[in-house]
Amino acid sequence: MSDPSTKPNDNPFRSRRWHLFGVDSDRVIRTFFAGNALVAIIILVLITIFLFKEGWGFFPQNYQNLKLYRQTGVEFVDVLKRHEEDFSALNRFLNNIRTQEVQRHKDAGETLAEANERLKPFDLYLTAFEEGGYDITDLVNELKTTATELRSRYEIYLNQAQLRSNLEKAGRTKEAAAIELVPVDLVDEVKSIQDNLPRVISTLGALAAHVNQMQQTIPREADTAMTARLEKFRSLLIQYEASFPALQQTLRSWDPQKPVSAYHAVTSFIFGREWVTNSYIQDWYGILPLFTGSLLVALIALCFAVPFGVAAAVYVNQIAASAEAKLIKPYIEFISALPSVVVGFFGVAVFGEFVRYSSQAEWLSWVPFFPISERLNAFTAGCLLALMAIPTIFTLAEDALNNVPRSFKEASLALGANRLQTTIRIIIPSALSGIISAILLGFGRVIGETMVVLLCAGNRISIPDFTQGVGIVFQPVHTMTGIIAQEMGEVVREGLHYRALFLVGIVLFFISLLVNFLAQKIVRRYKLGSN
């Protein structure tokens, strides 16, 4: 009989040296992997804490920003300024009509001089319309200078007062006393802005009369297309003229001492339709245009990536011969190795230009939104993101198909079903939870992509015009990831803009959590259903 003490070790992971020192190799391996998981959890917690620490301070700072916006009279000027900008937009609309008419005459074989001669009556109308806005523009610029200068002085006063207070708390009384404070009487100085109300009302009345006259004297043209555009301009003038009474009532009832509600600091971010930084009058941080831009690009990407990725996985896993699968699979997975910046450069230099050139084809002239003028838009970015998401969806969907028990396929074939029926009615439904998880992970991949959208989406911070129907996919947009990458290097640390970008990061963080939660919930639901 062999000596029990010399019996070979039945655990291949346990060495004699470890045993001599009382170390269990199984425990070491478990501790190693558990330690990795613990490190990952700690890093995730630290990232979460850091995001909330830097971003959550946005709301009190934004609340103070909105209070100053009202108390220094900037809000009063901004209301008037927006009305002046609407007039400027109408003027640009007229100039755009003229540009289109010049191009139409040149296409008809006329020279530029001949086209200008034909448009002389229209030019007289255009000049008269533009001159009617000079008074309100001058008034807005004057009041804007007064209000922004007042706000700047008051912010300097608040900063100096805060610095003196900090020095006094630290016991540095001499340094605190050396700081000179120049008080600012907001009530008295804002009243000087409000004293211009009669002049403002008079200027608005003159502008309203001018708009009414311009609406009645719109030139008549023989060209049908130009007539239609001028009728559109007439309807815009009627809408603009109708806005004057409400504007005058708003200016009369404006009160700089009216309290600013704290929840407005939150809703202005969540539902804000403007993201304006480094403005000479007022910065706005509304995430809605960035969120809609990210969502639009992601949906365009999934519209291409899901059918191509899932169909490729089904073909390689169920239909293709072994040689075909060995050829196709590596090439699809190789796409994920392409650097995103290279894909972005391809979109800027090649694909975007190709899409714009293709939209100018004669056989596509029936499409309402063709030809497109922007080569960098949501469609360009979405198509390139689809290319990057296809490998992720393909790989995970194929893994889901591989996990379907072989007996399912054999039983279906034995009952007389052909290969296509088996694939569609047995294999794909059985792998559906894994396929849906692959799609959700693909969505997370495209919603978090930065470089491609930064280079190819057009970077226009505005909510897409949904009245254009399908044409919205060809509009330039900006995204949440793109705005962080573009602006983070230019902001002042711990400033309002800095914290706004971190708050955008928190929104992306919650979107990722939601996507993962939905993926897990769907997987559990289908598992329970299959049981």
Side-chain angles (χ1 to χ4, degrees), residues 19-229:
H19 183 70
L20 290 175
F21 286 95
V23 178
D24 188 340
S25 59
D26 289 342
R27 182 175 298 174
V28 170
I29 293 172
R30 287 196 300 268
T31 302
F32 174 76
F33 286 106
N36 286 343
L38 180 62
V39 170
I41 293 173
I42 292 174
I43 292 175
L44 180 61
V45 170
L46 290 176
I47 291 174
T48 305
I49 293 174
F50 175 70
L51 279 175
F52 278 86
K53 174 181 175 295
E54 297 295 330
W56 209 251
F58 168 82
F59 295 115
Q61 287 189 8
N62 193 38
Y63 176 63
Q64 181 65 23
N65 178 53
L66 294 176
K67 284 176 63 178
L68 289 178
Y69 175 63
R70 175 166 294 172
Q71 293 172 354
T72 57
V74 177
E75 183 182 41
F76 180 88
V77 180
D78 203 20
V79 171
L80 187 61
K81 177 177 174 292
R82 290 175 186 273
H83 200 74
E84 185 264 339
E85 289 175 345
D86 290 341
F87 183 85
S88 298
L90 291 171
N91 190 49
R92 289 194 299 272
F93 188 91
L94 270 183
N95 279 280
N96 186 48
I97 292 177
R98 190 189 189 283
T99 302
Q100 292 175 345
E101 281 303 298
V102 170
Q103 187 61 45
R104 184 178 68 84
H105 286 297
K106 290 174 66 177
D107 291 342
E110 298 182 10
T111 64
L112 179 60
E114 291 173 337
N116 288 333
E117 184 66 27
R118 284 181 176 271
L119 291 173
K120 273 189 175 180
F122 182 81
D123 289 342
L124 293 174
Y125 178 83
L126 177 60
T127 302
F129 182 83
E130 183 178 356
E131 290 175 350
Y134 289 164
D135 289 343
I136 190 173
T137 299
D138 292 341
L139 178 59
V140 167
N141 289 335
E142 178 185 333
L143 295 178
K144 178 181 64 181
T145 301
T146 303
T148 53
E149 188 270 338
L150 171 59
R151 175 169 179 161
S152 178
R153 286 192 291 114
Y154 189 66
E155 286 179 336
I156 292 174
Y157 167 74
L158 292 178
N159 292 335
Q160 294 292 88
Q162 182 64 43
L163 178 59
R164 173 185 279 191
S165 175
N166 293 339
L167 291 174
E168 290 175 348
K169 290 179 181 178
R172 300 160 64 179
T173 54
K174 290 185 178 180
E175 296 179 31
I179 297 177
E180 182 180 357
L181 296 181
V182 181
V184 179
D185 189 347
L186 281 183
V187 175
D188 184 61
E189 298 208 33
V190 171
K191 187 177 182 300
S192 67
I193 297 176
Q194 286 183 286
D195 288 342
N196 288 277
L197 182 60
R199 181 183 167 197
V200 170
I201 298 300
S202 175
T203 303
L204 289 176
L207 181 60
H210 174 72
V211 169
N212 181 268
Q213 181 184 3
M214 291 292 100
Q215 186 264 328
Q216 296 178 8
T217 58
I218 290 179
R220 298 183 181 274
E221 298 291 337
D223 179 63
T224 305
M226 186 174 183
T227 300
R229 289 192 288 268

Side-chain angles (χ1 to χ4, degrees), residues 175-328:
E175 296 179 31
I179 297 177
E180 182 180 357
L181 296 181
V182 181
V184 179
D185 189 347
L186 281 183
V187 175
D188 184 61
E189 298 208 33
V190 171
K191 187 177 182 300
S192 67
I193 297 176
Q194 286 183 286
D195 288 342
N196 288 277
L197 182 60
R199 181 183 167 197
V200 170
I201 298 300
S202 175
T203 303
L204 289 176
L207 181 60
H210 174 72
V211 169
N212 181 268
Q213 181 184 3
M214 291 292 100
Q215 186 264 328
Q216 296 178 8
T217 58
I218 290 179
R220 298 183 181 274
E221 298 291 337
D223 179 63
T224 305
M226 186 174 183
T227 300
R229 289 192 288 268
L230 289 174
E231 284 301 317
K232 173 65 175 176
F233 178 71
R234 185 194 302 275
S235 66
L236 293 174
L237 282 182
I238 294 173
Q239 294 176 20
Y240 183 66
E241 185 181 359
S243 67
F244 278 85
L247 171 66
Q248 293 175 351
Q249 178 61 32
T250 299
L251 294 173
R252 287 193 178 98
S253 61
W254 181 80
D255 180 10
Q257 301 305 317
K258 183 180 179 181
V260 178
S261 57
Y263 80 91
H264 188 50
V266 179
T267 57
S268 65
F269 175 79
I270 298 175
F271 303 109
R273 302 173 66 90
E274 293 181 292
W275 183 280
V276 180
T277 60
N278 297 323
S279 172
Y280 51 81
I281 186 165
Q282 173 69 12
D283 291 344
W284 297 102
Y285 301 97
I287 198 174
L288 204 56
L290 305 176
F291 177 77
T292 54
S294 295
L295 191 61
L296 178 61
V297 171
L299 291 177
I300 293 171
L302 291 183
C303 285
F304 290 99
V306 170
F308 280 107
V310 174
V314 172
Y315 179 79
V316 168
N317 188 268
Q318 296 294 319
I319 301 174
S322 177
E324 282 183 294
K326 290 180 180 179
L327 178 66
I328 296 173

